Amino acid sequence: MLCAIYKSPNKDQTYLYLERRDDFAAVPSALLASFGKPELVTLINLDNRTSLALADLTKVKAELTNKGYYLQLPPPPEDLLAEHKAFMQTRS
């Protein structure tokens, strides 16, 4: 399964995976509007991969097949203060 990956100029670490290069027909217009003008990052063959850096390969393939696109959002920010407080409680 070939896949085109685009990055968002508006939202850091946000990527759009498509089944076909430059075919945005399956992507909702509201999503495209907030995403901004997609910038092609790469073309990859998902069948040759065992994993992806920040996305679940199985989920990406399923959404590409079912919806025609996959939206990868950035990971949630770390709450270092909460982690520190939890760590300090375990030491008491």
Side-chain angles (χ1 to χ4, degrees):
M1 171 184 278
L2 292 177
C3 171
I5 303 175
Y6 296 84
K7 71 176 182 175
S8 170
N10 296 346
K11 300 184 183 278
D12 192 35
Q13 297 183 43
T14 302
Y15 296 89
L16 186 61
Y17 293 61
L18 297 177
E19 286 185 291
R20 287 176 291 284
R21 182 178 181 168
D22 296 334
D23 182 3
F24 299 95
V27 183
S29 58
L31 172 58
L32 274 179
S34 67
F35 191 84
K37 184 177 182 204
E39 299 173 10
L40 182 65
V41 175
T42 190
L43 299 169
I44 61 171
N45 187 343
L46 296 178
D47 292 332
N48 294 341
R49 297 203 162 274
T50 57
S51 65
L52 295 170
L54 295 175
D56 180 314
L57 181 61
T58 305
K59 186 175 181 181
V60 171
K61 287 181 176 182
E63 289 204 19
L64 284 172
T65 300
N66 297 330
K67 295 186 340 186
Y69 71 94
Y70 172 79
L71 180 65
Q72 177 184 318
L73 299 172
E78 293 180 78
D79 187 349
L80 298 177
L81 179 58
E83 288 180 29
H84 176 69
K85 286 179 179 178
F87 174 74
M88 294 307 289
Q89 286 180 344
T90 61
R91 295 188 66 192
S92 312

